[in-house]
């Protein structure tokens, strides 16, 4: 039977009108933009597939949380609500809020980076790579071979190559490798997921050489969903439990809350190391703000707290991945190249237009 998309698990509660254009107008608009989509005015774009980063609609409970936000400079209750929501899934000792993901990266790598250091990953996202290289350090991508072959079908094409990682850590050791990073899902590699087994094996190699493991966890909920769907033994586990297991294998994380945490802005750095956390908070104050709000308003902290818990809903993730697959298959049938047929993220543009608002 032909695959059909599934019913979205929400009602649309407000709508944003879009400007309708015809092909002739669109050709003119894109020509004027020099064929660079970043030069387009968003009002001229009928279907905006540029990114889902921070562009999605918030749920009614997120909007309600905005009203609940407390804008006290220090010690706002909104901070506690945010911190509890983060640690419910990612039980790290220190949570440091930032205005978006790259600010968390900038702070982390300013503390641990520098000339002569090397940071291996499955694939660094471009801002992560830039923040590493800006300190004089080297960013190294070690994704498995299948992850570099767009047409190869493999359930976890975001996995890091454990043998190459092991050889590297043996050669360089903890003085030159301050941490290993896993991007889940592997966004720059087509949004491909990383298996729990691969995270566990990465942890074991890191332990052998006494090197911490960090997650770039922007798509944590999708990654957990793929583990739930594809990895032996996880079909009976809840997504929140899978997220906690992933987090439990790591020493810290960076997060862009503009992705799975359903925010229009936000991010955080979370970690267990007291010394790094102290230095990170000092840098935070220079560019982001006081440690109980970072770069965020109290209302943003509260909206994110709700988004984090809504992002791990099974019904929602099932819908999100199914509609992504539907789009991918339709594009494939139409002969349009698709780079991530078995992964999720690049097509997770579907959450935007109507998530429960
Ligand atoms: C995997 C990954 N890491 C980091 C970032 C940077 O986050 P932000 O855009 O919030 O600075 C992104 C953004 O797309 C990302 O996808």
């Amino acid at each position: 039977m032909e695959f059909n998309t599934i019913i979205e698990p929400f009602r649309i509660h407000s709508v944003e009108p879009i400007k309708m254009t015809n092909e002739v107008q669109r050709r003119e608009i894109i020509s004027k933009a020099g064929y660079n989509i970043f030069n387009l005015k968003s009002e001229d774009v009928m279907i905006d597939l540029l990114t889902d980063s921070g562009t999605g609609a918030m749920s009614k409970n997120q909007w309600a949380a905005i009203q609940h936000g407390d804008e006290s400079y220090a010690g706002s209750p909104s901070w506690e609500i945010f911190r509890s929501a983060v640690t419910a899934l990612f039980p790290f000792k220190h949570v440091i809020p930032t205005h978006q993901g790259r600010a968390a990266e900038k702070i982390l790598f300013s503390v641990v980076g520098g000339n002569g250091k090397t940071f291996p990953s499955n694939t660094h996202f471009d801002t992560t790579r830039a923040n590493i290289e800006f300190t004089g350090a080297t960013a190294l991508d070690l994704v498995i071979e299948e992850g570099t072959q767009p047409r190869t079908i493999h359930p976890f094409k975001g996995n890091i190559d454990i043998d190459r990682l092991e050889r590297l850590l043996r050669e360089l050791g903890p003085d030159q490798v301050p941490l290993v990073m896993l991007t889940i899902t592997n966004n720059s590699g087509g949004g491909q997921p990383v298996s729990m087994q691969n995270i566990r094996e990465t942890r074991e190699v890191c332990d052998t050489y006494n090197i911490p493991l960090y997650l770039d966890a922007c798509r944590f909920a999708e990654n957990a969903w793929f583990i739930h769907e594809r990895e032996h033994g996880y079909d009976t586990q809840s997504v929140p439990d899978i997220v906690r297991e992933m987090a439990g294998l790591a020493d810290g994380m960076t997060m862009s809350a503009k992705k799975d945490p359903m925010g229009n802005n936000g991010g955080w750095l979370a970690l267990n190391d007291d010394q790094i956390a102290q230095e990170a908070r000092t840098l935070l104050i220079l560019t982001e703000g006081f440690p109980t709000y970072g770069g965020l308003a109290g209302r943003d902290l509260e909206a994110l707290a709700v988004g984090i818990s809504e992002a791990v809903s099974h019904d929602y993730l099932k819908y999100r991945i199914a509609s992504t697959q539907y789009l991918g298959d339709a594009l494939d049938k139409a002969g349009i190249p698709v780079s991530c047929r078995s992964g999720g993220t690049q097509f997770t543009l579907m959450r935007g237009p109507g998530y429960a608002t």
Side-chain angles (χ1 to χ4, degrees), residues 286-309:
L286 287 183
T287 57
E288 296 287 296
F290 192 71
T292 58
Y293 71 85
L296 295 168
R299 56 180 171 270
D300 296 332
L301 292 168
E302 296 230 9
L304 287 175
V306 175
I308 292 163
S309 61

Side-chain angles (χ1 to χ4, degrees), residues 192-356:
Q192 298 292 334
V194 178
S195 69
M196 191 70 85
Q197 187 185 339
N198 191 252
I199 304 175
R200 205 176 297 115
E201 286 173 4
T202 307
R203 167 88 254 173
E204 283 163 16
V205 176
C206 286
D207 281 347
T208 306
Y209 296 97
N210 201 20
I211 293 172
L213 171 62
Y214 276 57
L215 302 176
D216 173 347
C218 303
R219 311 283 182 179
F220 68 95
E222 283 187 352
N223 203 86
W225 181 255
F226 282 116
I227 288 174
H228 178 271
E229 292 292 287
R230 296 178 177 176
E231 193 159 350
H232 181 68
Y234 285 92
D235 56 336
T236 54
Q237 290 214 27
S238 74
V239 169
D241 281 346
I242 295 173
V243 174
R244 279 186 281 271
E245 186 173 339
M246 297 190 305
L249 291 167
D251 300 285
M253 68 185 293
T254 56
M255 173 64 93
S256 168
K258 301 171 75 168
K259 280 89 182 172
D260 280 4
M262 314 280 211
N264 297 129
N265 211 12
W268 67 83
L269 167 65
L271 67 167
N272 290 330
D273 187 298
D274 296 334
Q275 179 63 31
I276 297 177
Q278 193 183 335
E279 290 179 45
R281 285 200 178 97
T282 306
L283 291 176
L284 185 84
I285 290 168
L286 287 183
T287 57
E288 296 287 296
F290 192 71
T292 58
Y293 71 85
L296 295 168
R299 56 180 171 270
D300 296 332
L301 292 168
E302 296 230 9
L304 287 175
V306 175
I308 292 163
S309 61
E310 289 181 343
V312 289
S313 144
H314 279 225
D315 285 346
Y316 171 60
L317 285 166
K318 186 174 175 192
Y319 147 78
R320 173 159 151 168
I321 300 303
S323 51
T324 301
Q325 188 180 344
Y326 183 72
L327 174 62
D329 286 348
L331 291 172
D332 202 35
K333 258 191 220 153
I336 297 165
V338 176
S339 69
C340 57
R341 288 190 65 214
S342 62
T345 312
Q346 273 186 356
F347 293 129
T348 54
L349 311 151
M350 306 304 285
R351 106 158 157 97
Y355 184 57

Side-chain angles (χ1 to χ4, degrees), residues 53 100-102 105 125 127-128 183 187 216 218 256 258-259:
S53 179
Q100 60 184 90
R102 66 198 69 187
E105 294 161 5
F125 185 68
T127 57
T128 322
T183 312
N187 201 1
D216 173 347
C218 303
S256 168
K258 301 171 75 168
K259 280 89 182 172

